[in-house]
Structures are given as structure tokens and as C-alpha cells.
Amino acid sequence: MNSSAEVLIIGGGVIGCATAYYLAKKGIEVIVLEKNQIGEGGSSRNGGGVRQSGRDPRELPLAMYAVEHLWPILSEELGMDVEYYKKGNLRLAKTPAHIKILEGLTSRAQAVGLKVQMIDGEEVRKINPHLSDEVIGASWCPTDGHANPMLTTLAYYKNARKAGARFITGEKVLELKKVKGRIRKVITDHSEYEAETVILAAGFESRKIANTIGIDIPMQRVLLEALVTEAQPKMFEQMLGTAEADFYGHQSTHGSFVFGGSSGMDAYTSDYDRPVTTSFTASCICRGIMKYFPELAEAKIVRTWSGWIDECADKVPVIDKVEEVPGLIVACGFTGHGFGICPAVGTVLSELAMGEQPSIDISGLKYGRFKAKI
Amino acid sequence: MAKIIDRSISIGEFIPQPDDDLIICRCEEVTKGEIRRAVHDGMYTMTEIRRYLRTGMGLCQGQTCSKLVKGIVAKELGVPADQLEGGTSRAPVRPVEMKILANESEKEVSKHE
Amino acid sequence: MKRIELIVIGAGPAGLSAAIEAAKTGMEVVVFDENAKPGGQLFKQIHKFFGSKEHRAKVRGYKIGQELLEEANKAGVNVILNATVIGIFENKEITVMAEDRIVHYKADYLIVATGASENMVPFEGWTLPGVIGAGAAQTLINLHGVKPGNKILMLGSGNVGLVVSYQLLQAGCEVVALVDAAKRVGGYGVHAAKVARCGVPFYLSHTIVKAEGEECVNKVTIAEVDESWHTISGTEKQFEVDTICMAVGLSPMSQLLKAAGCMMIEDNKRGGVVPKTDSYGQTSIKGIYASGDVSGIEEASSAMIEGRISGIAAAKDAGYLSETLFQEKVNSYHKAIDCLRQGMFAPENRGRTDLTSTEEGVLISQSLLTKGYVDETEIYRYPGVRTGIKGVHPVIECTQNIPCNPCQDACQRHCIKIGNSITSLPVVDETEICSGCGMCVAFCSGQAIFLVNEEYDENYATVTLPYEFLPLPKKGDQGKAFDRSGTEVCDAEVVEVRSAKVMDHTNLVTIKVSKDMAMKARFYKAIV
Amino acid sequence: MRIEEHPILGVPEKGKKVLFYFDGKPMEGYEGEPIAAALRAAGVLVHRHTMKQDKPRGIFCAIGRCTDCVMVVDGKPNIRTCVTPLTEGMKVQTQYGVSPK
């Protein structure tokens, strides 16, 4: 079995699959190694937000590019409905303090050219009449939206595979090795692969793998939990979030509501070898939802789940060529908001792998940016 | 431990069958043909199938169909069904109204409710 | 958060048994069950159970349920109903949904006894109303007193399919056919025989091709299948039905255990995905046990013993039971359960189609396996079937090694001998004189014993049958006798009807038939 | 469809006779029995029509597992009628997708 390729991608999540797709489409030989199965990590466990608003200006170019150029054509391009809705994002506020947070985010985003604005409670309910009176305002970005993360990941995978990318699942990467000054070998628990370029996109597990070649990215895993309801009659199409980012969600094409949320103890869960839901978070999310949407009180929860996000020290990802290790490209630390930018990330990663100048500004996402505070 | 599967190894062409219209997942109305086609689209695990087609994601959470889907996928892949790992199970094992799940109570459950 | 020493999930046969054993040692036990009534599926089991005395043989399932409940109450078990355990979390924490709220509990020990769910098989039209699980039929009839339909086709010849077919007949439904894609009847031959003699045709090596109907099923087509399970064209048969019942096996309902993180294995002999357990039912997570169908599909009798074993194992670990006492108890329970796991229907033999003779070396009836009844040419092979004996004598048409021996205990005259191995075929000892008391007929859980008097008078013989239908015939009634295949064979007159509390609704109907029908007539129907 | 007397179980124990409404039509059932049992006894087999294919569905498992028998009960959709007890005056409606017609 030939175990070498021009580009080897570690991680069969949405970033790995998207990158494999854009590379394979250009005729590049790609191998994707996935420890578990396709879309196993955060790729299938997130709330599906395709947002620009609320983002750090450093990753905003990726978000804006994706929304402008990539998401609108994605279903057509991949020949599969990824359930993309460009119906806006409401980031909700219930207190003056929330308003303050949102105003800060909004003005920073406006400064880099995003069309986002603050609206009051009444305007919020004009957009989404189901929201309760507790909502006193929101930031409103009409070009934001949501998509189905599971379908998006699998659509990229399916098309990448069709275009010739070789996916191998069940391969756990143990070590990266340089040969003659360049990255070359990827050693797994079963065999060994070789490539000219290696893209590391393995979520929170990227850190451990990067460490094997002397690279470190300051990030940690944080457990996030989400839940889904039974199908409900169509209520609204926007993506929703809150000022404190403690609750987010949308109604899917299927009619079910997907909501994620935080219990406040997310960073302190036990250290198990698999993400396990806590006994209390889903209840907490429900209480949160009901404050915003009293009419969902009788909707039934059919499933809850949890997943680890790769939280970077400064909450934006590292997407960069690692100069120290020629041939190594790192794409991790997405901090729970990588899904919305995945088409753009896949695009720039494919460009980086081909030695091209990235078409989107990722200068704020460099590997070497982390410094002590004093 | 996940088995190593090279997804590029051919499992042959999708060949339509007369019973492809048969509903397998009753809740989400997913047919046998859709499941078989999904395998040919590269969905090799129960979880991938589930995420791709919503089999077992309906109200009953796969109570009725999971064994059936597994059998179809295994046959399509040409492996014994017991070699395919089933999907994950998660709380709640029965649908729970949001207002009930939200209502965590210290009041113990007694015999006479 | 309330912490309880032992929480049992599921108040079925396994769960209640576990709770009883643990509570008897002084352990604090709470049982949660999502249903409004305890007992799991036991209250739908209206047939008499197999086994021996210690397994409560010849007692109907629902009565065993009542007994278990009484035992649980006496032992101080707190059974909480309408309380659904929706999740098991780390540190043996559970969340319980009751009424309008969620309550968290923690346990030192958890015994999961959530039972099984039915398998289904898809065919064209299987989503039509009227196509139901056999369990649904049982639930409607035996719990709610409602017939699922009037004309019913049963798919599946395992014990569930056979038992439920009989229950449908008892409820007054017509069973138009019993169909199974397998070549051989999967359940106990005695269960098949009692359905067959009521006139239900068996179609082995047949499958459902399609069910038809606009809003509900009104027609079903079956066809024969070949070696590779493909239907053979030209063999189609159609039936007008309003209901199709599926009894195609059970799967462990092990989702809670899986979600809890217990190591799971796929084991077809146990019915699917089951937790890996030790011989006490403990899973890969210390302190979490699984017993009953959730750890492998078996009869309720086995589930009850498994439950007891898990119960005492938890109690021992918690210090409520000494090592010696535990060993003593566990040995006797292991012995009891091993006893049930003997014979040709033992779990290890599940799915085997190569068994051709009994432990005694008697050939298994081919017609029983393919048509549901022992053909007349085969019946004389069995040691319970003797003719030419003077006076009344038992004829025991028990032809397979099933774990059961109440007939031996029933006979005060020692006419019936099984011996120590309860799976052995019963032998009629011709040297002992039958009193004609009929207890063996009433106590045989398989309704496979008949009293025959081949020389009732010059022209007639009498046959005493077990009878569990309404209306109950009366002395002097004229009707027809039917043979093992359900075919009408001759006129019959009811000469005696016996009912007694101890017989528990198995009435003894004695019919007078012409002499040559003594070894043929096995069922009676009034002339309508 | 009701069993008057059963050879083993005798005369079925029933709750109080109550009136309920199926798609607006008054019907009789017994208090406390599952809605599905009351409907079956009254000859109603179709509980809902599915979302995608608009196909009829009814009782399937009868013990609350398969969720095929769900209907709109007192305005709430997706109620498992096989495990929900009937009460006086209950309004039971055929469910189309996730809503009443």
C-alpha cells in the first residue's frame, strides 16, 4: 500500500475534510489520517453557527470571506444540501452589562467593515417574535446564519474522497518526524506515512502531536454540551447567541432545535478519556432557553451530547506555516467557533500547502504570536 | 479501538435493488436505498450514516431501526454486522420536555405520584 | 443529592429479584421503573412458566409477578413507578424524570435491569397501521383487554410468536397463519403444538412479501424463501388480515449502560449489544451491574435468578452479607440457572439448526419443526407416548429437551418419570397405575399431556384435554374433535369438564370419540 | 374489539367510562387506559401521518418505545398515546407531521 502523498492531513474533522477537498480538487495527492471516524470531534458536535459578528477581528476576514464567497455556493458545489441559512444572527442581551459587551464587539466589527448593528428589544422581537420580553437588545448581523455541521463535514469528505483524497480512519498519529531538515514522516500506532507537507488539524489533540516535533500551541480542551429537541413546527430561521456566549442555537431544516450552552463549570469537568455529558448542564441549558423562548417549554429533548473544543490561549486559532519545521502547517485552537469559517480555512490551508500566498488575511493567526504578558 | 479502514478501497458500484424504497428508519423515514447509497458515498460507520441521513435520530432514537441499519451497512461493506460498532447512546434515553428537564428538584420521588 | 445504597433500574423480573435479595440483607434499596405498573413484561405473560418448582414452574407469569411484588414489599423494597431514569452519569449518579421534574440520585451500587425491546423486520407495507409487534398484541390483550385485530398473521415462530399466537386465540382472534423465514420452528415444540391443533397453519421457510392497504393493512402476501432467503416466485399466498404481528426476537435495551461508559460487546447469542459482565453481572464499571434481558436475552425465569445473583453480589460487596453466606447462596443460584440453561434451547444452542435428535437419542419430529405438530407417524417414538395400556393413562407429547418437570411432581402415582435432569423427556411408566386425576394435564406448562382411555366402552375412547378457552364446554355438549394439525377428525361428546383452583384456569375437558381416534383427537370445538 | 371475558384473566378491570374527542368526534373509553387502547377499541387505527411521505401510522410497540403512535393530545404534539392514560374530555387529534391538521 502506498503510504505517501504530497500533502498529509492529520484530522478528519471539518477542517481536515474541507482542506482535503480543496486540495484534491486541484489535483493534489492527499492522505487524511483520522484516529476515529469522520467528523468525530467538534465538527459534528457544534451549534452550526455561521457567524461573522461577535468574532475577534483577527479571524473576521476568514468569516467574512466564507459568508461572502463560499457558504452561498457550498450546497451546489458539494452537490448536497448542507442546510445553510443566511438569515442573520441575533446576539441577545438581557442586562445593561450584556449591552455593553455587545456594543464593544459591534464597534470592533464595524471598524473592519462588517455590517452589524445594535438593536433594541422591540426590534429584536420584530425579527423574532418568539423571543421573550426579557430580551432588551441585541447585536444584529443580517448576513450571518447557520448550517448543518454534520452534513457539511460529511459533504466535504464525500467530495474530497470522490476527487481522490485518500481517507484512512482508525489511524492514530503518534509522532511527527523531520527528515533532512523538513517534515517528512508521520508515525501512527499501526504504520508510517510520508508527505512533503503535513497539515495538523486534529482539534485539541493537535497539541500533543505538535509536541512530538518540538512545537507547542497554548491551548486546552474544554467540554461543551449541547442538546436537540424533537421536530417542531417552523418558528424562525436566525442563528441565536447571547452576549455572554452561554447559550446559542438555531432551528434546523428538520424542525428540531439545536442548542448549546454553558453551565459555568465547563472548564472543570473530570478528566475522562471520552467527552461525557454532565448530569446538570442540559438542565441548565433548558432553563436558559426557556427564558428566551417560553413557548419551547413543552418541546421534548431527545438527545444531549458533549464535545471538547480546543480553546486557544487568546481564543482565536493558529493557522500558519510553522517556520521552525518546514513543511508543517498548523490549523488548530479554533476555540469552538471554527465551523463557520471552515470553507475559508480549507481554502487558505490548501493555498498554504501549495506554497501559494493565502488569498485571505490570516496574519493575525500566526503560530509565533504568543508572548508572556509582562 | 477503531479499526483501520482505508476509505479509498473500492466496495463496488451502487447497484439499485427492487426494495430500495423500503422504509428502514420509521421515525425519520429513511429508506434502504438511501442507506445503501450513503455507504457508497463513503459513510462506513453507523455514526456517519446517522449523521448523514438522520437514521436513529428521530423521536425513538434508533430503538427500532439501529439493528436493521447495521445489517444493511454491513452487507453493503461486505463485513459481518458484529464488526460494525453501533452508534453512541446518550441521555436522555426517553424524550423529556424542556420544562421538565429544566426543573431540577430536590424533592425526592415518592411512591405515590 | 440523595445517595442510596442500591438503586435498581427496572421493576421487571430481574430488577425486583435483585432488589429483594439485597433488601433482605438489610441494604437500602430503591427501584425505579418508568411504567405505571411494576413487573415488567411478567404481567403480560399469562401462560404457565417452565422449569421446576424452584423456578416457579407451572405458575403463570403474571402470578409470578404478583408474588414477586409481595416478596418485594415484605423485604422492604421501595418500588417507585412512573419514574424514568433518563441517564447514568459519572460516580453512579442518575437522573430520574418523575411527573414534572428531574431528581438527581447517587448510588453506591446500581443494578440495571431495563429488559429488552422487540426486533422488527421490514417488508413492503410494514409501516401501515395494523402491523404491530407481538409485544404490542400481548399488551393490548392482557393489560388493556382490547383485541389488536380480528384476523391476524403472526411472523415468527420463536416462543414469543407461539405464545402470543395462542394468546390471540384465547382472546378470540383468528390467527390465519404463522410464518417464519427459518426452516424450523424456533420455539418450544409444545407451544407450537397447542397453536397448531387449534387449526393455525404454519408456514416455515416463508416470509412476508408485502402488506397492503390504504390507511391500514387489509391484505398480506407471503412467499416461500430459498436457501439464500430470496423469495421463490410462484409460491405467493395471500391472506386477508387486519393485523400483522411481528415476533422476530428481542434486543437488550442496553442504552443506559452504554451511555454510562460500560464496556459493551456484540453477542448474537445474547441478542445483540450487551455489557461485558462477570458471573455476578458486574459490568466493567465497578458497582454497576446488569441483569436480566439487558445482559442477554433469556426467559424470565433466568432473569429472576440473574437478578438475585446481582442483588447478593452488591450486598456482599457492601458488607451486608458474609463471604460464606454469599458463596452458599450464589452456588445455589448458579446451580438453578445452569439447570435452566440446559437442553436444546440453551443459549449456547441459539440459532443452531443441526440438532436432529434429543439427548436420549430420539429423532426430533420433522413435522413438528416444519408444521408445528408431531405427525402421527412420528409420535410413538417418544417415551411419554404409550398405547394399549389398560384404563386411563397419560399420553405425554413432550418431544424436546426443555427444562421442565412439573408433570413428574404432579403424578402421585409415579406414572411419570423425568429423573434428575429436568430437560429429559418425560417417560410414562406402564407399571404404575394412573388414577386419572388429571393433575399432569393441568400442570403441564406446554399443555402437552392428555389422558386417554382407549377402552371407554366397546366403541368409544375418551380423551382428556387441557382447555383454556371460552366458552367452556359443558358435559353433554356435542362438537367436533380435531387432530394435532387442527384438522377435524370426528364427532365428539363432552363427557366431563373439570375445573379447580389448583389447575389455575387450565380446565380438563374429557371428550368421547370413536375408538380409532383415541390417539388422534387432541382438540375440541363446539359446533356453532 | 373489547374482550368481555378472558379465559385466564376473567373480566378485565376497567376505570370509569369517560367521554373523549377524536378529531372532534366524541368517543367513549375508560379512564386510565392508554389513549391508544381506547382508540383501538373504538376502531381508530390511524394515529398520524408522517412528515416526509404523509403515510399513515398507528400503534406499533404499544409500550412507549417506538413513538410511532404519537398524536396531538390536548394541543401538545408527539404524545405517545400507548403510554398516556385517557382522561375525561381529552382532545385527541390525528397528527400530521408535527401538527394537527
Side-chain angles (χ1 to χ4, degrees):
Chain A
M1 183 165 72
N2 185 8
S3 53
S4 67
E6 288 169 74
V7 180
L8 187 144
I9 299 170
I10 302 169
V14 72
I15 300 295
C17 291
T19 309
Y21 167 73
Y22 291 114
L23 283 168
K25 205 171 78 165
K26 289 175 193 162
I28 307 290
E29 218 186 348
V30 189
I31 289 178
V32 182
L33 299 182
E34 163 58 43
K35 180 176 90 165
N36 207 309
Q37 55 192 336
I38 304 301
E40 183 57 16
S43 307
S44 299
R45 297 163 198 257
N46 67 80
V50 178
R51 283 181 300 106
Q52 308 152 96
S53 60
R55 283 189 190 265
D56 188 293
R58 288 172 290 176
E59 59 173 11
L60 204 46
L62 285 168
M64 289 171 69
Y65 187 91
V67 167
E68 199 168 330
H69 302 288
L70 302 172
W71 277 111
I73 56 157
L74 201 58
S75 291
E76 201 188 321
E77 173 161 4
L78 300 179
M80 209 175 115
D81 184 6
V82 299
E83 301 179 357
Y84 173 57
Y85 289 80
K86 196 175 182 175
K87 298 286 182 179
N89 180 71
L90 283 168
R91 203 169 178 113
L92 308 165
K94 288 197 292 189
T95 65
H98 290 162
I99 297 279
K100 216 159 172 194
I101 297 171
L102 294 179
E103 280 171 349
L105 284 167
T106 303
S107 61
R108 266 174 282 155
Q110 283 166 339
V112 277
L114 180 68
K115 285 201 176 67
V116 55
Q117 65 190 90
M118 290 299 296
I119 56 175
D120 64 21
E122 213 170 294
E123 289 168 295
V124 171
R125 275 175 290 279
K126 253 187 222 146
I127 293 165
N128 188 328
H130 306 279
L131 280 162
S132 77
D133 290 341
E134 280 194 43
V135 178
I136 59 166
S139 69
W140 169 239
C141 177
T143 55
D144 281 350
H146 54 83
N148 183 321
M150 301 181 285
L151 293 180
T152 305
T153 306
L154 293 171
Y156 270 126
Y157 157 67
K158 169 183 161 183
N159 284 276
R161 180 174 169 269
K162 222 160 57 183
R166 202 170 136 209
F167 286 81
I168 301 168
T169 53
E171 277 282 36
K172 182 181 179 181
V173 172
L174 299 178
E175 195 186 349
L176 303 179
K177 259 186 106 90
K178 289 206 302 192
V179 173
K180 292 181 186 165
R182 269 189 74 87
I183 190 133
R184 184 78 204 168
K185 285 189 173 168
V186 176
I187 298 157
T188 71
D189 52 355
H190 294 98
S191 72
E192 218 176 271
Y193 296 82
E194 289 193 13
E196 288 152 40
T197 303
V198 172
I199 300 175
L200 181 56
F204 75 91
E205 283 165 287
S206 303
R207 186 173 192 174
K208 217 165 96 187
I209 297 169
N211 286 169
T212 65
I213 200 160
I215 299 297
D216 193 39
I217 299 119
M219 60 183 205
Q220 61 176 358
R221 67 177 200 197
V222 174
L223 189 83
L224 288 193
E225 296 186 45
L227 52 81
V228 62
T229 70
E230 63 192 336
Q232 294 282 301
K234 198 95 210 149
M235 266 172 69
F236 60 86
E237 292 182 318
Q238 307 93 39
M239 180 71 195
L240 301 169
T242 61
E244 287 184 328
D246 56 349
F247 154 72
Y248 51 88
H250 67 268
Q251 185 172 22
S252 70
T253 301
H254 167 258
S256 53
F257 286 88
V258 180
F259 288 115
S262 154
S263 66
M265 284 177 271
D266 318 285
Y268 310 101
T269 51
S270 305
D271 195 20
Y272 295 107
D273 59 354
R274 63 187 182 118
V276 285
T277 50
T278 63
S279 66
F280 48 81
T281 308
S283 293
C284 168
I285 297 172
C286 289
R287 288 190 290 271
I289 297 166
M290 282 162 58
K291 277 189 197 141
Y292 294 98
F293 292 106
E295 44 185 299
L296 283 182
E298 280 165 1
K300 292 187 205 71
I301 311 302
V302 295
R303 197 171 164 85
T304 65
W305 66 88
S306 61
W308 283 307
I309 60 162
D310 45 353
E311 188 182 78
C312 206
D314 60 0
K315 311 280 200 287
V316 291
V318 174
I319 302 173
D320 196 12
K321 275 185 163 176
V322 177
E323 301 296 341
E324 284 172 55
V325 184
L328 176 66
I329 297 168
V330 169
C332 59
F334 286 89
T335 318
H337 32 80
F339 172 66
I341 56 176
C342 68
V345 176
T347 303
V348 292
L349 286 173
S350 70
E351 290 161 354
L352 290 177
M354 292 170 74
E356 295 167 6
Q357 228 12 269
S359 56
I360 309 163
D361 177 17
I362 49 167
S363 56
L365 306 174
K366 288 207 168 306
Y367 158 66
R369 69 178 188 262
F370 304 97
K371 303 277 187 297
K373 64 179 176 184
I374 300 174
Chain B
M1 191 60 223
K3 268 199 336 280
I4 303 176
I5 313 169
D6 186 338
R7 304 291 180 103
S8 55
I9 291 170
S10 169
I11 55 160
E13 284 292 292
F14 172 83
I15 302 158
Q17 284 173 2
D19 61 351
D20 277 342
D21 286 339
L22 203 56
I23 294 280
I24 300 297
C25 170
R26 296 169 67 99
C27 297
E28 294 296 323
E29 299 174 82
V30 183
T31 65
K32 183 175 179 184
E34 289 173 296
I35 296 166
R36 295 201 312 111
R37 200 175 274 283
V39 177
H40 289 268
D41 283 344
M43 311 306 146
Y44 283 14
T45 69
M46 291 296 286
T47 303
E48 287 166 14
I49 293 279
R50 179 176 184 143
R51 288 171 178 161
Y52 194 66
L53 297 172
R54 295 195 53 85
T55 47
M57 278 209 198
L59 259 189
C60 94
Q61 289 289 295
Q63 191 85 243
T64 310
C65 72
S66 54
K67 233 180 187 172
L68 302 174
V69 176
K70 203 171 185 178
I72 294 167
V73 174
K75 196 167 175 205
E76 214 57 35
L77 286 172
V79 299
D82 56 12
Q83 276 188 28
L84 277 184
E85 208 171 311
T88 45
S89 299
R90 299 174 200 281
V93 294
R94 297 280 180 271
V96 186
E97 276 183 27
M98 199 175 278
K99 67 175 184 207
I100 297 177
L101 194 52
N103 184 23
E104 286 173 293
S105 167
E106 294 284 321
K107 190 180 142 209
E108 274 179 50
V109 187
S110 74
K111 245 178 178 162
H112 310 285
E113 303 227 12
Chain C
M1 192 187 307
K2 174 84 174 167
R3 183 157 170 157
I4 293 164
E5 288 190 298
L6 170 63
I7 291 177
V8 179
I9 306 172
L16 283 178
S17 303
I20 289 166
E21 286 296 326
K24 280 203 293 204
T25 68
M27 206 171 181
E28 176 196 21
V29 185
V30 174
V31 184
F32 291 111
D33 193 291
E34 63 176 324
N35 297 293
K37 286 181 184 157
Q41 306 308 305
L42 274 178
F43 284 90
K44 301 168 194 173
Q45 312 294 328
I46 59 167
H47 62 284
K48 293 178 174 174
F49 275 34
F50 291 76
S52 62
K53 254 190 267 169
E54 57 176 336
H55 310 112
R56 291 185 166 92
K58 79 175 168 59
V59 180
R60 296 188 192 273
Y62 72 98
K63 293 216 164 150
I64 294 177
Q66 286 163 356
E67 287 172 21
L68 262 185
L69 273 181
E70 278 163 33
E71 199 185 348
N73 280 334
K74 238 171 55 197
V77 174
N78 187 8
V79 181
I80 299 177
L81 301 169
N82 294 313
T84 310
V85 175
I86 57 169
I88 300 180
F89 301 90
E90 298 299 329
N91 301 314
K92 295 191 270 297
E93 180 183 342
I94 61 164
T95 46
V96 181
M97 168 171 67
E99 278 217 323
D100 60 343
R101 64 189 196 280
I102 294 288
V103 188
H104 297 255
Y105 287 91
K106 250 190 201 174
D108 293 336
Y109 300 88
L110 266 177
I111 296 179
V112 179
T114 44
S117 62
E118 287 184 283
N119 295 341
M120 297 295 174
V121 48
F123 48 82
E124 190 183 329
W126 77 302
T127 59
L128 278 170
V131 180
I132 61 174
Q138 216 175 21
T139 305
L140 285 171
I141 296 172
N142 300 338
L143 289 191
H144 308 311
V146 174
K147 291 194 282 181
N150 287 316
K151 287 177 80 120
I152 298 164
L153 179 133
M154 175 66 68
L155 180 66
S157 70
N159 275 341
V160 175
L162 298 171
V163 164
V164 175
S165 293
Y166 192 70
Q167 290 176 6
L168 286 163
L169 296 167
Q170 286 179 307
C173 310
E174 183 189 348
V175 179
V176 301
L178 197 147
V179 176
D180 199 318
K183 274 195 207 161
R184 311 162 49 129
V185 169
Y188 291 173
V190 286
H191 279 318
K194 67 187 195 194
V195 174
R197 66 177 175 254
C198 290
V200 176
F202 281 53
Y203 294 94
L204 276 293
S205 296
H206 276 71
T207 193
I208 295 178
V209 177
K210 63 180 168 185
E212 292 170 88
E214 277 297 310
E215 289 281 276
C216 328
V217 61
N218 55 36
K219 196 159 75 180
V220 56
T221 306
I222 65 167
E224 202 175 329
V225 292
D226 62 19
E227 295 288 330
S228 49
W229 310 100
H230 292 119
T231 54
I232 304 168
S233 72
T235 61
E236 293 86 356
K237 288 171 199 70
Q238 283 191 342
F239 299 91
E240 274 177 27
V241 293
D242 58 14
T243 305
I244 297 172
C245 273
M246 281 193 256
V248 291
L250 300 169
S251 290
M253 213 156 58
S254 53
Q255 290 88 339
L256 272 173
L257 289 161
K258 196 171 181 190
C262 296
M263 190 188 291
M264 307 300 283
I265 47 172
E266 175 117 13
D267 184 344
N268 287 332
K269 293 218 184 286
R270 297 209 265 164
V273 179
V274 290
K276 195 172 180 321
T277 54
D278 64 16
S279 59
Y280 312 125
Q282 184 162 237
T283 65
S284 63
I285 301 179
K286 208 176 162 325
I288 300 185
Y289 293 77
S291 50
D293 274 354
V294 73
S295 65
I297 305 299
E298 276 184 85
E299 299 292 323
S301 318
S302 309
M304 288 187 278
I305 305 173
E306 278 189 7
R308 290 185 189 270
I309 293 171
S310 296
I312 53 171
K316 190 213 73 173
D317 200 64
Y320 284 95
L321 202 60
S322 72
E323 181 68 39
T324 14
L325 209 53
F326 168 72
Q327 279 308 336
E328 211 173 282
K329 279 181 177 251
V330 105
N331 286 343
S332 86
Y333 286 139
H334 274 150
K335 229 171 95 188
I337 203 162
D338 285 347
C339 198
L340 288 177
R341 287 173 177 162
Q342 303 297 315
M344 48 183 64
F345 293 92
E348 66 190 44
N349 288 332
R350 194 165 287 163
R352 271 181 75 172
T353 53
D354 56 340
L355 290 170
T356 53
S357 60
T358 69
E359 287 161 8
E360 294 83 355
V362 185
L363 282 178
I364 297 169
S365 158
Q366 282 309 304
S367 82
L368 179 68
L369 294 176
T370 54
K371 291 184 268 179
Y373 60 91
V374 182
D375 190 86
E376 208 185 330
T377 59
E378 298 172 310
I379 196 73
Y380 296 104
R381 302 179 181 153
Y382 301 98
V385 182
R386 292 286 172 263
T387 54
I389 303 173
K390 255 183 121 51
V392 179
H393 62 91
V395 173
I396 309 182
E397 304 191 351
C398 180
T399 65
Q400 293 168 322
N401 301 116
I402 52 180
C404 193
N405 66 2
C407 53
Q408 176 173 259
D409 298 340
C411 187
Q412 303 289 323
R413 296 287 182 94
H414 310 292
C415 299
I416 303 170
K417 298 200 163 71
I418 286 181
N420 289 331
S421 166
I422 68 165
T423 53
S424 299
L425 294 180
V427 177
V428 168
D429 185 343
E430 295 169 46
T431 63
E432 305 288 349
I433 309 294
C434 170
S435 71
C437 73
M439 283 307 150
C440 56
V441 180
F443 286 180
C444 173
S445 306
Q447 297 184 27
I449 305 183
F450 307 87
L451 292 184
V452 175
N453 185 350
E454 293 169 58
E455 38 197 35
Y456 177 72
D457 63 23
E458 210 172 310
N459 300 316
Y460 289 97
T462 60
V463 179
T464 302
L465 327 155
Y467 197 86
E468 293 188 352
F469 295 92
L470 286 179
L472 187 61
K474 292 183 305 295
K475 186 177 171 179
D477 280 2
Q478 299 291 325
K480 296 284 180 192
F482 294 77
D483 69 4
R484 297 178 187 88
S485 73
T487 308
E488 186 184 312
V489 286
C490 63
D491 292 330
E493 183 193 328
V494 177
V495 294
E496 191 181 15
V497 177
R498 283 181 275 174
S499 305
K501 202 165 174 220
V502 64
M503 298 176 185
D504 190 10
H505 299 90
T506 309
N507 307 286
L508 307 188
V509 172
T510 305
I511 54 171
K512 191 174 88 175
V513 292
S514 63
K515 244 182 172 155
D516 56 332
M517 290 297 149
M519 289 304 285
K520 289 193 170 87
R522 288 296 177 262
F523 193 59
Y524 169 82
K525 279 183 202 169
I527 307 167
V528 248
Chain D
M1 297 306 286
R2 295 210 183 258
I3 300 165
E4 302 292 330
E5 191 184 350
H6 189 280
I8 310 298
L9 300 166
V11 178
E13 270 175 50
K14 285 286 167 197
K16 173 179 109 189
K17 206 172 236 186
V18 292
L19 199 69
F20 71 102
Y21 300 90
F22 167 68
D23 285 343
K25 284 191 294 287
M27 279 182 180
E28 270 182 354
Y30 292 96
E31 188 173 67
E33 71 180 350
I35 299 167
L39 287 173
R40 184 66 198 85
V44 176
L45 275 100
V46 180
H47 288 217
R48 66 181 182 111
H49 281 253
T50 60
M51 180 122 68
K52 273 195 201 166
Q53 300 192 353
D54 190 29
K55 289 281 160 60
R57 294 282 174 88
I59 297 174
F60 191 53
C61 82
I63 50 170
R65 307 264 160 83
C66 76
T67 64
D68 240 343
C69 69
V70 297
M71 300 176 85
V72 182
V73 176
D74 287 336
K76 277 196 212 177
N78 285 347
I79 299 297
R80 296 175 296 166
T81 55
C82 69
V83 288
T84 306
L86 186 72
T87 56
E88 174 89 61
M90 205 170 225
K91 289 183 182 60
V92 180
Q93 289 169 281
T94 309
Q95 182 169 317
Y96 295 85
V98 289
S99 321
K101 201 161 214 174

